[in-house]
Each structure stands twice: as structure tokens, then as C-alpha cells.
Amino acid sequence: MYHHSGSAAQQAAGSAAGVLEPRIDRASADDESILFQRCTWCGTAMYHRLLCPVCQGSDLRTERSEGIGTVRHSTVVHRNTPAARNVSLIEMAEGFVVRGRVMGPPIGIHSGDRVRLSTAKDPVRGEPVFQLVDEPYRAWS
């Protein structure tokens, strides 16, 4: 049976604050990268978590993503915006999933498209922005 003491909770809160701080006040040199966490117990990669979703461990180390990923799902959003935009779930090469926007026509973004990070923080929405790595080849029927 596990017993979590107050000091363990304080350590988790302290490390979580440290994990999130670099995303808030990064220097311009870091604007082109995404920071994520990896559990030191089980190795699971995750984005903006306080505990590991697999083992519930709180010992997370911060790593820098290479910025390459694959679109897992993309939706076109028409509300609260003057023009349609896409919201995509991107599975990064390191194994975590992040929500962001892929540049290009919203209806042209599909599951399986390979993307590369363009900027880690969109100035309007604060989400990562990606661009297609390869212009997809699709046969028109």
C-alpha cells in the first residue's frame, strides 16, 4: 500500500510548476520547440501533465521534442473565428499527442499527413502551429 506524504505532494507541485514555467517565459531561441515530459518510472511521454497517465508517477523529466509528427485527427472549426480553421491532434515522434493547428487550407489536412513544428506558440490561440512536411499526393477521382 502506498502512502503519499505532504512532502511528496509538495515535490510533485514544485516539479510540475518547474515543468510548466519554461513554456510560459521562454526566450526567443526556444520558440521553435515543444517541451514535453517523460516519466522516469515507465518512460511514457506526455504533454503538460502533472502525473503520468500510465503509472501515476510524479517524477517527470522535461525533454525537447524534435518537432516532427503525424496528424491523427483534424477538424474544421467555423465558430469564434472570422475564417474556418483546423484543430488537429498531432502524434509526435517521441510518443505524446498535442493539439495544434496545421497551416494550409483546413479541408486539405488529413489523418496520416506528416507535419513539422513551425512555431511552438500561435500568438492568438497559444497552441503549436505545424506545417506539412510533404505536400500530400492524392489522386483526384
Side-chain angles (χ1 to χ4, degrees):
M1 178 173 181
Y2 262 143
H3 174 70
H4 293 284
S5 68
S7 62
Q10 289 170 347
Q11 286 175 346
S15 65
V19 165
L20 298 179
E21 281 173 13
R23 296 269 312 146
I24 295 169
D25 54 308
R26 286 199 308 253
S28 61
D30 290 340
D31 283 346
E32 302 308 317
S33 63
I34 294 179
L35 300 179
F36 68 100
Q37 297 81 39
R38 187 172 305 276
C39 179
T40 58
W41 286 69
C42 70
T44 300
M46 66 214 79
Y47 185 69
H48 280 219
R49 294 291 191 104
L50 298 177
L51 297 174
C52 175
V54 175
C55 73
Q56 301 302 310
S58 63
D59 190 12
L60 309 176
R61 71 176 179 263
T62 301
E63 295 183 15
R64 187 175 310 278
S65 171
E66 293 295 318
I68 302 295
T70 304
V71 175
R72 287 294 161 227
H73 179 75
S74 188
T75 300
V76 178
V77 178
H78 296 277
R79 66 174 182 227
N80 298 331
T81 182
R85 64 181 174 87
N86 75 63
V87 175
S88 300
L89 293 178
I90 310 296
E91 183 176 338
M92 303 303 290
E94 293 83 5
F96 66 96
V97 176
V98 62
R99 185 178 108 162
R101 180 173 61 87
V102 179
M103 292 189 293
I107 59 170
I109 310 303
H110 303 282
S111 295
D113 286 347
R114 292 179 347 134
V115 294
R116 179 180 67 226
L117 182 68
S118 177
T119 180
K121 194 168 188 180
D122 179 87
V124 176
R125 303 244 177 238
E127 297 177 334
V129 178
F130 297 87
Q131 61 189 26
L132 293 171
V133 170
D134 306 313
E135 210 38 58
Y137 172 78
R138 294 193 174 79
W140 297 96
S141 46

